[in-house]
Amino acid sequence: MQPTAPLFRRMSRLALTTKQVNGGYYKGTGSGSMGRHTKHGGYILDYRKVRTYVVPKDLKDFRLTPFVTKTMEPLKGSFEGDLKGGLSGERYLDRWKRENGTD
């Protein structure tokens, strides 16, 4: 059974999926290769393939704006004096007891 002509035109403009084409079609993620696999299961980076981004030195008079604001306030959650920071089990249990009470 074939789709109707208007539906078929709309389908032809959509991106292909692996179900619409024969074998051997691999869509991928567009990330590209940055090295090679070894026969022992490792991965070796090829630094000629690694993407590097060069930021201009003087951005004060730059006309384009960044995606993130430059005036962002500091985030809550400074864990001064606690070596484990936010992953401290004691801190988690203290917060759980405050919010849920004790048994």
Side-chain angles (χ1 to χ4, degrees):
M1 179 179 234
Q2 293 282 333
T4 60
L7 182 61
F8 188 72
R9 280 191 297 256
R10 182 178 297 154
M11 282 177 42
S12 66
R13 288 189 295 246
L14 296 175
L16 286 175
T17 66
T18 55
K19 293 182 179 182
Q20 294 172 327
V21 294
N22 291 330
Y25 175 72
Y26 179 71
K27 187 171 184 176
T29 60
S31 59
S33 161
M34 294 205 198
R36 62 183 173 87
H37 294 279
T38 64
K39 65 180 180 180
H40 302 292
Y43 194 76
I44 297 176
L45 283 176
D46 184 1
Y47 287 101
R48 294 175 296 173
K49 293 182 174 183
V50 175
R51 293 173 188 89
T52 56
Y53 301 100
V54 179
V55 179
K57 292 186 180 194
D58 188 21
L59 293 177
K60 290 183 180 179
D61 298 328
F62 197 66
R63 294 182 62 208
L64 296 177
T65 58
F67 293 114
V68 179
T69 180
K70 292 180 181 179
T71 59
M72 186 172 165
E73 296 183 16
L75 299 173
K76 293 181 181 178
S78 64
F79 303 102
E80 295 176 12
D82 193 354
L83 296 176
K84 294 183 181 178
L87 300 176
S88 171
E90 294 84 14
R91 188 179 295 270
Y92 174 78
L93 288 176
D94 291 340
R95 182 174 176 185
W96 190 87
K97 287 177 185 175
R98 269 185 294 157
E99 292 178 3
N100 298 314
T102 56
D103 291 332

